[in-house]
Amino acid sequence: MTDKDVESGNRQYHAQEPWWAGLGTRGAVVLIVLGGLAAAWAGAAPSLGLGSLPFTPDNPATAFYQSGTIIAIGAVILVTGFLNRRREGSERDRD
């Protein structure tokens, strides 16, 4: 959906963008790095003998799942950005 309002019957809905929309390539790299740091943070607690670190779920699988989700979102944004640049470059070459 675009940023335009969608009319359905008597109501109008404004298309809501996800929180990661518009991050760009640098934002994608930051998400990937933060996801990796979050996974390292979650893995450090048991290996260092710490009970739990701040902002770490009690279940390590949950922490790894959440950090993996952040990494995946960053990877999708990064690859999409590269594919868009490649497509735009090939369109310029045809002209």
Side-chain angles (χ1 to χ4, degrees), residues 56-93:
T56 305
D58 293 334
N59 186 358
T62 303
F64 288 122
Y65 174 78
Q66 291 170 346
S67 60
T69 302
I70 294 171
I71 293 170
I73 290 171
V76 167
I77 293 170
L78 187 67
V79 169
T80 304
F82 286 142
L83 289 176
N84 282 338
R85 285 184 186 173
R86 184 176 177 186
R87 186 187 66 199
E88 289 171 1
S90 66
E91 287 176 358
R92 275 189 247 134
D93 290 342

Side-chain angles (χ1 to χ4, degrees), residues 1-93:
M1 294 181 113
T2 63
D3 207 21
K4 296 179 182 177
D5 291 335
V6 178
E7 194 171 327
S8 173
N10 294 335
R11 296 178 148 182
Q12 284 190 353
Y13 298 99
H14 185 69
Q16 216 174 22
E17 292 183 343
W19 60 266
W20 61 82
L23 285 179
T25 306
R26 290 181 186 166
V29 171
V30 168
L31 282 179
I32 293 170
V33 169
L34 286 178
L37 289 174
W41 183 267
S47 63
L48 295 175
L50 302 172
S52 72
L53 294 172
F55 307 112
T56 305
D58 293 334
N59 186 358
T62 303
F64 288 122
Y65 174 78
Q66 291 170 346
S67 60
T69 302
I70 294 171
I71 293 170
I73 290 171
V76 167
I77 293 170
L78 187 67
V79 169
T80 304
F82 286 142
L83 289 176
N84 282 338
R85 285 184 186 173
R86 184 176 177 186
R87 186 187 66 199
E88 289 171 1
S90 66
E91 287 176 358
R92 275 189 247 134
D93 290 342

